[in-house]
Amino acid sequence: MKRYVSILLVCFLISGCAKQEIIDRIKIVQSVGFDVQGDIFKSSGTYASYQKKELLRLMNVEAQTFGGVWLPQNTKSDDQIVTGQIRTIVISEKFARKSIQPLAMSLLRDQVVSNNATIVISKQEVSTIMSEALKNPPFYLSDLIKQNMEKGNTPLTNAHSVLNQYYGEGQDVYLPVLDQDENGLIHLDGVGVFKEDKLRLLLTEKESLLLKLLKDKSKTMIGSYEFRRRENEPIYFKILYGKRNISHDQNDSVVISLKLHIQLRELPKTISSVSNSDLLDLKHDIEQHFTSEISDMLKKFQMNAVDPIGFGELYRSNHRNWNEQEYKNKTYPNIKFEVNSEIIISQSGVGVGAE
């Protein structure tokens, strides 16, 4: 009996020390964006407004320091601002090209922001993107990004992986890119790759998928792809899942083996989905296409001195006398890549190809 009484007393003591935060007396920031104009930091944040008719409201502020943007937000708020539920952090392309060091330092020091928060680059001003997001249901922005990472062509990333890439050795940061179409609708548009703390390279949507295939785990190695064969015939298929292996040997060469299971979705009339010879020819063409495209992308990384795949990290794990600068200046530019692609047509689809 005394044991149960002691447990109850401890529970009361713990609950008495907890800080109460009543939901309609705080402002829970769901997404926040950062931009720069000269030496001024600009911030736009969306938060739930439980006492108003609007589901989300937008607050725009300016400050001379990155962390100082929270001060004017507090002065404009009638309730305490809480950042523990931030799902999306948007930075402008201008901010990314200048330096993401203030953001990285803030994430490292601020233990309140979740490691699962997603960081993305916006081609427009952050306030424009955030204003457009207000027209949609709550969590629209975070759900859009999550859907494209889990089922689309965008590689997985979050605040935790960004910090690991930024402060770790032998790898570079990459972030998804947001854009708006002619109707103002927000969509994912490739990936931005950084050299140290500055945006260096913008990848297309197709290159974004190739990066995903070289980085994601097997279960999320999925996406959609289309290309034209030698005869300029369009091919469209879905990647169901895949496996890869990357080895960095002692001779400064890297071998990449990629095995993908695909579902054919649309074929030209010259190809029959029930003809073994047609499917074998198509399989060969897709394998050659992926091998060529991945090889070209890796050469582009070398030319721009960026390593989003993390070949340097793999090299470091196998070499005791690791020197990051020596690797970047001498080893990485001269690496020879061997890419081997294997395609397995798991599903040929229904009603596609030659009749």
Side-chain angles (χ1 to χ4, degrees):
M1 184 66 181
K2 292 182 179 180
R3 179 184 178 186
Y4 292 111
V5 172
S6 300
I7 294 174
L8 287 173
L9 287 174
V10 171
C11 291
F12 282 126
L13 288 173
I14 294 175
S15 62
C17 296
K19 183 178 179 180
Q20 292 186 353
E21 292 183 341
I22 302 174
I23 194 67
D24 59 355
R25 295 182 184 176
I26 59 176
K27 283 184 170 58
I28 302 177
V29 181
Q30 296 182 356
S31 57
V32 62
F34 298 99
D35 208 337
V36 289
Q37 185 174 1
D39 296 329
I40 300 298
F41 290 94
K42 304 170 69 176
S43 175
S44 300
T46 62
Y47 60 91
S49 180
Y50 297 100
Q51 296 177 332
K52 309 291 183 182
K53 293 183 179 180
E54 302 96 338
L55 293 177
L56 288 176
R57 301 191 72 186
L58 181 66
M59 185 180 295
N60 296 311
V61 298
E62 296 181 359
Q64 294 183 345
T65 60
F66 183 83
V69 296
W70 296 110
L71 178 60
Q73 290 208 30
N74 277 306
T75 61
K76 292 183 178 181
S77 175
D78 54 344
D79 292 311
Q80 177 189 358
I81 294 178
V82 179
T83 60
Q85 295 298 318
I86 291 179
R87 297 191 178 192
T88 310
I89 299 173
V90 184
I91 61 175
S92 69
E93 184 176 343
K94 185 188 298 184
F95 183 102
R97 292 194 182 277
K98 185 175 182 180
S99 174
I100 60 168
Q101 182 185 26
L103 174 62
M105 293 179 63
S106 177
L107 290 174
L108 188 65
R109 295 171 179 173
D110 189 356
Q111 300 300 319
V112 177
V113 178
S114 171
N115 284 333
N116 291 322
T118 306
I119 307 173
V120 294
I121 302 169
S122 168
K123 288 187 175 181
Q124 284 76 28
E125 291 187 0
V126 167
S127 57
T128 303
I129 291 290
M130 304 296 273
S131 297
E132 182 63 29
L134 287 180
K135 302 176 184 178
N136 298 279
F139 307 120
Y140 165 78
L141 201 56
S142 59
D143 290 342
L144 171 71
I145 299 167
K146 180 181 179 182
Q147 186 275 139
N148 277 272
M149 287 185 179
E150 294 181 349
K151 301 178 182 179
N153 295 357
T154 305
L156 288 172
T157 180
N158 55 28
H160 175 75
S161 62
V162 169
L163 287 177
N164 183 52
Q165 292 165 349
Y166 185 82
Y167 288 103
E169 294 184 330
Q171 56 188 325
D172 288 311
V173 175
Y174 60 85
L175 297 176
V177 176
L178 291 178
D179 198 2
Q180 285 182 288
D181 62 16
E182 61 276 7
N183 297 316
L185 296 178
I186 303 172
H187 62 96
L188 272 295
D189 187 30
V191 168
V193 182
F194 289 74
K195 181 180 180 181
E196 297 178 351
D197 64 337
K198 295 179 176 62
L199 178 63
R200 178 64 179 265
L201 186 64
L202 289 175
L203 304 182
T204 65
E205 184 181 358
K206 284 188 176 181
E207 291 172 326
S208 173
L209 174 62
L210 299 179
L211 177 61
K212 179 175 186 175
L213 296 177
L214 297 180
K215 287 295 294 182
D216 277 16
K217 297 179 180 179
S218 179
K219 292 183 179 180
T220 56
M221 288 174 62
I222 58 178
S224 301
Y225 199 87
E226 63 178 3
F227 76 104
R228 292 184 178 272
R229 302 177 79 195
R230 296 182 301 272
E231 299 81 4
N232 203 32
E233 296 174 329
I235 308 292
Y236 172 64
F237 58 88
K238 291 185 70 67
I239 300 172
L240 304 176
Y241 59 94
K243 292 182 180 180
R244 74 169 173 280
N245 182 66
I246 301 176
S247 59
H248 203 319
D249 64 22
Q250 299 292 330
N251 298 320
D252 296 339
S253 63
V254 172
V255 178
I256 300 173
S257 300
L258 189 64
K259 184 177 182 180
L260 300 176
H261 294 254
I262 70 170
Q263 177 192 45
L264 300 177
R265 301 300 297 270
E266 187 173 336
L267 299 176
K269 292 184 178 181
T270 56
I271 300 177
S272 173
S273 61
V274 295
S275 170
N276 288 333
S277 61
D278 283 0
L279 292 180
L280 284 174
D281 288 342
L282 179 59
K283 164 184 161 70
H284 179 69
D285 286 348
I286 296 176
E287 289 173 345
Q288 282 192 325
H289 178 81
F290 269 106
T291 297
S292 175
E293 292 295 307
I294 291 175
S295 298
D296 289 345
M297 183 181 70
L298 296 177
K299 291 177 183 176
K300 181 188 290 189
F301 290 162
Q302 286 179 303
M303 291 176 61
N304 287 274
V306 295
D307 184 13
I309 307 298
F311 296 117
E313 184 182 29
L314 180 61
Y315 184 89
R316 180 174 64 91
S317 64
N318 297 321
H319 293 75
R320 292 184 178 181
N321 300 322
W322 157 264
N323 183 287
E324 186 173 21
Q325 289 304 317
E326 183 178 353
Y327 176 83
K328 287 182 177 180
N329 298 331
K330 296 182 179 180
T331 305
Y332 184 61
N334 298 307
I335 286 178
K336 303 298 181 183
F337 292 103
E338 179 185 339
V339 182
N340 301 309
S341 302
E342 180 183 357
I343 297 296
I344 298 176
I345 302 177
S346 299
Q347 301 177 26
S348 60
V350 179
V352 297
E355 298 178 358

